Amino acid sequence: MTALRFRRSAGAALLLAGLLAATGCDRAPDGSVSRLPTPADPAADAAPAEAFERTWLGVLPCADCDGIQTRLQLRADPDGARYVLEETYLGGSGENRFVQEGDWREEGAVIQGQPAEVYRLDPDGPGRWFWVQPDGALEMLEAEGRPAVDGLAFRLQRI
């Protein structure tokens, strides 16, 4: 092997090592959600393999009301994954019930340094993230994808 060929091989190996190292650095030290590497086909991550319908219910904190009664229903079938989110602001006056519908996706993430499963509503926009808990509950994540300080207050129980 000539010196030039050796240098080219070594340069290619260093470049490959750098790329591999860069893709493994998704963990954020602040505990925020970092996406795991996505598959080559984004449609493969769009919906769970089996068809299902699940519902969660709870009262989430509210800055200027008594709480937000929240009902989240996720549906998935071969035609896609859809959600219905119903929110009722408690103790307020005027229009207090809002219904939102759209697409959702199940995604892998890293939360607090650990692999996690999250459901993301409206994945092509800013969306909302819900972290799947071991007991089947969902914990709503903050806008930056971090768990809330009082995570129990932001949980929806599966019904």
Side-chain angles (χ1 to χ4, degrees):
M1 181 184 282
T2 67
L4 179 60
R5 184 178 282 172
F6 178 76
R7 273 190 255 152
R8 285 184 182 165
S9 297
L14 284 173
L15 178 62
L16 180 61
L19 288 173
L20 289 174
T23 60
C25 295
D26 271 348
R27 291 190 184 187
D30 63 357
S32 62
V33 173
S34 298
R35 291 197 46 151
L36 293 177
T38 56
D41 178 14
D45 196 30
E50 78 279 355
F52 74 84
E53 184 172 313
R54 296 184 185 142
T55 304
W56 291 265
L57 183 66
V59 177
L60 301 178
C62 177
D64 57 357
C65 68
D66 295 335
I68 305 169
Q69 183 173 329
T70 305
R71 182 178 187 269
L72 174 61
Q73 181 180 45
L74 299 181
R75 286 180 246 137
D77 59 37
D79 294 329
R82 300 285 297 163
Y83 77 88
V84 176
L85 179 66
E86 299 174 36
E87 296 175 303
T88 303
Y89 288 72
L90 306 173
S93 60
E95 180 65 33
N96 62 355
R97 183 172 180 271
F98 302 91
V99 177
Q100 180 179 342
E101 297 183 38
D103 296 323
W104 68 276
R105 180 171 52 215
E106 183 176 333
E107 298 179 349
V110 176
I111 300 176
Q112 298 174 335
Q114 298 295 318
E117 177 183 356
V118 296
Y119 296 146
R120 184 171 180 191
L121 308 184
D122 299 318
D124 295 327
R128 291 191 197 183
W129 300 68
F130 289 89
W131 178 15
V132 180
Q133 300 299 302
D135 65 355
L138 295 181
E139 183 175 319
M140 189 171 79
L141 298 172
E142 292 182 351
E144 299 83 25
R146 287 191 308 253
V149 174
D150 184 9
L152 290 176
F154 289 88
R155 282 201 184 192
L156 302 175
Q157 297 301 318
R158 187 160 172 211
I159 56 172

